[in-house]
Amino acid sequence: MPTRKLTRDQRLVLLRRLTLRDHQLLRWLAEHYLLTTSQIATALFPSERSAGLRLATLLRYEAVQRFGDVTTGTGEYMYALGATGAIKYRTPWVDPDHLDARLPRSNIERTERIAGSLRLSHLLGSNQLFVDLHAHTRTNPDATLARWWSEQHATSAYAFAGVRPDGHGIWRAAGRTVGFFLEHDNNTESLRTVLLKLRAYERLAEFGPRYPVLLRVPSRRREANLLDLLAGVPTAMPVATGLHDEHPAGPAWTLTSDPGPRRWLHELPSDHGPDTAMNPHRYTEPDND
């Protein structure tokens, strides 16, 4: 027999039982569409077992929804925002394939759009970088992921320049703050197409932040080809290459303008840009630092 759905009043009661960690997960699912079991465990829990136990509770609360992987080959469950979570965390990001899609009639429809997206592998790959950065902060108290914006959030914020990054973050470590834009590459586009994306970041750098653009690729061969193409090419903002299987917080990045030893993320050059009306999303350091 079908499971009886919770009423709105019951959901409101269950919201009061959620922990701070639960709320963080729900905010992420509202912003970034989906995360796998292992990603949730890596970012927020001491083990996959403890993550699974809590996720089972959140499923009963209808705070999250779960669906099986049928396209990416990971074999994992994927989690999206549930009806109870959507009461607290309403989001304009409703369709990973269409930024201007009409609002879904229900949270179930939103999840169906996510599950049916042709970009699931790309979404998970982009989210993995930020998951790994957040996990790093749990054992390194001097590090903070101060901003994690989705493609849709960053695209909306910087629409005047036409940039469409796969993610945008602000990383703080070792006394430095570095903003960055992520271009997650699965080797499905030509190198020329990848390089054409840099034009929009050049426009943004004229009046906004000059954050490094991270070209994260699946193989050393692809990275070497990108470095060859960008050798000696001046850019208004830093550009760095890295590999999917290297930890993003560590010495994983090669500056195209200075392809010497790989650099840690916090070592990359970064400029928040001028404090003007043309740069409304300029990052400001917390007052207590």
Side-chain angles (χ1 to χ4, degrees):
M1 297 180 61
T3 303
R4 186 175 180 180
K5 292 296 182 182
L6 299 172
T7 66
R8 181 177 176 82
D9 286 345
Q10 288 172 324
R11 291 184 179 124
L12 290 173
V13 170
L14 291 172
L15 279 174
R16 293 197 289 269
R17 299 183 185 178
L18 300 182
T19 67
L20 292 175
R21 182 170 58 188
D22 295 335
H23 281 286
Q24 184 167 36
L25 172 59
L26 298 183
R27 285 194 297 270
W28 285 352
L29 294 178
E31 169 96 7
H32 305 289
Y33 292 114
L34 80 163
L35 293 166
T36 66
T37 305
S38 62
Q39 287 178 329
I40 294 168
T42 296
L44 296 173
F45 290 86
S47 68
E48 285 207 23
R49 182 178 182 277
S50 61
L53 290 172
R54 189 57 188 171
L55 287 168
T57 298
L58 295 179
L59 279 168
R60 290 199 304 274
Y61 291 176
E62 297 179 14
V64 300
Q65 295 187 74
R66 184 177 73 180
F67 59 94
D69 166 38
V70 295
T71 59
T72 67
T74 67
E76 290 192 89
Y77 281 121
M78 300 184 189
Y79 290 84
L81 192 67
T84 300
I87 293 175
K88 176 71 174 178
Y89 298 104
R90 296 184 179 275
T91 172
W93 323 127
V94 298
D95 192 316
D97 295 338
H98 306 287
L99 184 61
D100 57 351
R102 65 167 176 79
L103 292 175
R105 291 184 294 271
S106 67
N107 194 69
I108 292 176
E109 183 181 338
R110 178 180 185 265
T111 301
E112 288 174 345
R113 293 182 187 182
I114 296 169
S117 172
L118 299 177
R119 303 181 68 246
L120 286 187
S121 179
H122 193 271
L123 279 169
L124 292 174
S126 300
N127 288 348
Q128 187 66 51
L129 177 139
F130 294 93
V131 164
D132 288 339
L133 288 178
H134 186 81
H136 182 80
T137 68
R138 295 172 61 199
T139 55
N140 294 269
D142 70 325
T144 303
L145 182 57
R147 181 186 287 177
W148 174 13
W149 285 0
S150 65
E151 174 187 345
Q152 285 75 11
H153 192 158
T155 298
S156 176
Y158 297 109
F160 50 84
V163 300
R164 187 164 184 164
D166 295 319
H168 161 54
I170 302 287
W171 179 243
R172 300 171 62 206
R176 295 197 72 243
T177 301
V178 173
F180 63 88
F181 295 109
L182 172 64
E183 291 289 344
H184 180 81
D185 177 76
N186 279 338
N187 203 17
T188 57
E189 298 176 319
S190 69
L191 291 178
R192 180 176 181 275
T193 299
V194 174
L195 296 182
L196 284 175
K197 296 178 181 180
L198 298 180
R199 292 181 178 177
Y201 295 106
E202 293 270 1
R203 290 193 295 272
L204 179 61
E206 294 176 9
F207 42 79
R210 295 188 175 189
Y211 292 149
V213 179
L214 307 183
L215 305 178
R216 203 171 195 218
V217 299
S219 68
R220 291 197 180 277
R221 180 176 180 180
R222 181 116 168 136
E223 181 184 36
N225 289 337
L226 277 172
L227 290 171
D228 286 344
L229 287 172
L230 288 166
V233 177
T235 56
M237 68 292 166
V239 179
T241 62
L243 300 175
H244 291 183
D245 59 0
E246 293 186 339
H247 197 289
W253 304 104
T254 299
L255 276 173
T256 60
S257 60
D258 183 19
R262 290 184 178 265
R263 304 191 186 201
W264 291 65
L265 181 57
H266 67 262
E267 294 175 333
L268 296 178
S270 176
D271 183 350
H272 298 307
D275 188 6
T276 65
M278 291 294 289
N279 189 18
H281 303 287
R282 186 179 188 275
Y283 180 76
T284 302
E285 298 287 352
D287 292 336
N288 60 353
D289 278 8

